């Protein structure tokens, strides 16, 4: 399986909304709702912020939301805050092979 | 609260074998609803899934690393391990262990929901 494709960087001003796309294929993102999103601050382990395309784990801010259209999943951060500056990775699971894959990662900068 | 802790040598010589262990505390590794995995991150690079193991020993490996990696589980010690043979500089990375669900419902969906803090491995020549 190949890594899912994400833009290298996305930026926005405080209070704005930004969207990070995660492009896959019909073998992963397109036909299954097995997309998750992870936030990683420098020097820290990744932290799960979205699972099953749209669901937030307990304790994750509702400013984070997920969606999917066709073979592309997206993470939207609304009301951008300085603490949101981090790297974000999408992930998916291949049910047919039980393999996992991550996206190429996106660095979010708060201007 | 379940926690994961990686351990292993920080430095490995090129062509040798890297061995890492992940200790699980606050819960049992022998769960029907969880796989246990290894993910690595080379310096300045993205996340790369390596492999996952079930408590029964059933394993799944990344095609890009299959043949060089082996995962195992020790339920008596509540630990699971990773071995990478014939390492090169390209294997230099932070290695994370993590827990993954085995099903999809409103509470979880094949995601890695708990991660260790990571352990840095450098391959030297």
């Amino acid at each position: 399986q190949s890594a899912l494709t994400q833009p290298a960087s996305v930026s926005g001003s405080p209070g704005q909304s930004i969207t990070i796309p995660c492009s896959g294929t019909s073998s992963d993102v397109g036909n299954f709702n097995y997309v998750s999103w992870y936030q990683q601050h420098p020097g820290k382990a990744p932290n799960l912020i979205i699972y099953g395309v749209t669901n937030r784990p307990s304790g994750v801010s509702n400013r984070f939301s997920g969606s999917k259209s066709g073979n592309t999943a997206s993470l939207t951060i609304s009301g951008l805050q300085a603490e949101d500056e981090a790297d974000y990775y999408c992930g998916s699971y291949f049910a047919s092979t039980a393999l996992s894959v991550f996206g190429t990662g996106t660095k979010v900068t708060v201007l | 609260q379940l926690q994961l802790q990686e351990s292993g040598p920080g430095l490995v010589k090129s062509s040798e074998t890297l061995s890492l262990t992940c200790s699980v505390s606050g819960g049992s590794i022998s769960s029907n609803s969880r796989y246990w995995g290894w993910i690595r991150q080379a310096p300045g690079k993205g996340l790369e899934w390596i492999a996952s193991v079930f408590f029964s020993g059933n394993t799944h490996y990344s095609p890009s690393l299959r043949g060089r990696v082996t995962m195992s589980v020790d339920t008596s010690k509540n630990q699971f391990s990773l071995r990478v043979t014939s390492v090169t500089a390209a294997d230099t990375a932070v290695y994370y262990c993590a827990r993954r669900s085995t099903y999809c419902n409103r509470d979880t969906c094949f995601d890695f929901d708990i991660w260790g803090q990571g352990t840095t491995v450098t391959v030297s020549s």
Side-chain angles (χ1 to χ4, degrees):
Chain A
Q1 79 283 14
S2 300
L4 305 174
T5 302
Q6 300 177 232
S9 63
V10 173
S11 62
S13 300
Q16 286 186 330
S17 292
I18 61 171
T19 296
I20 303 170
C22 169
S23 179
T25 69
S26 57
S27 297
D28 42 62
V29 175
N31 278 323
F32 301 95
N33 291 328
Y34 302 157
V35 177
S36 51
W37 288 91
Y38 305 85
Q39 177 191 59
Q40 186 182 34
H41 286 108
K44 300 294 186 181
N47 181 50
L48 177 69
I49 57 173
I50 294 287
Y51 65 90
V53 178
T54 62
N55 303 289
R56 280 187 309 275
S58 175
V60 173
S61 172
N62 59 9
R63 297 186 299 103
F64 295 95
S65 62
S67 62
K68 188 182 79 169
S69 178
N71 294 338
T72 300
S74 297
L75 173 71
T76 297
I77 309 174
S78 58
L80 199 62
Q81 298 180 2
E83 65 201 49
D84 300 330
E85 190 161 287
D87 293 325
Y88 292 83
Y89 295 90
C90 59
S92 188
Y93 175 76
F94 292 81
S96 59
T97 58
L99 305 183
S100 299
V101 66
F102 289 99
T104 51
T106 299
K107 181 177 180 58
V108 169
T109 301
V110 181
L111 302 172
Chain B
Q1 183 175 355
L2 189 134
Q3 292 184 320
L4 305 178
Q5 178 66 59
E6 305 90 347
S7 60
L11 190 64
V12 182
K13 291 184 178 180
S14 183
S15 79
E16 294 188 344
T17 296
L18 164 66
S19 295
L20 298 173
T21 297
C22 182
S23 298
V24 180
S25 60
S28 175
I29 199 172
S30 301
S31 168
N32 286 318
S33 63
R34 295 292 185 263
Y35 260 79
W36 307 91
W38 287 97
I39 298 105
R40 70 181 183 181
Q41 186 171 36
K45 302 297 184 181
L47 301 174
E48 179 185 20
W49 174 74
I50 301 171
S52 296
V53 68
F54 196 58
F55 77 93
S56 63
N58 190 36
T59 53
H60 301 285
Y61 298 110
S62 168
S64 64
L65 290 165
R66 189 175 292 140
R68 284 206 303 131
V69 300
T70 305
M71 273 195 76
S72 60
V73 62
D74 187 335
T75 55
S76 66
K77 294 182 178 179
N78 225 31
Q79 296 176 338
F80 60 99
S81 301
L82 176 74
R83 292 179 74 248
V84 183
T85 60
S86 304
V87 297
T88 68
D91 295 308
T92 293
V94 175
Y95 285 75
Y96 296 100
C97 58
R99 184 183 79 167
R100 176 178 71 74
S101 55
T102 59
Y103 57 91
C104 188
N105 65 10
R106 67 176 184 177
D107 297 319
T108 184
C109 193
F110 300 112
D111 48 84
F112 291 97
D113 63 341
I114 298 177
W115 296 64
Q117 64 185 26
T119 186
T120 299
V121 175
T122 301
V123 178
S124 67
S125 55

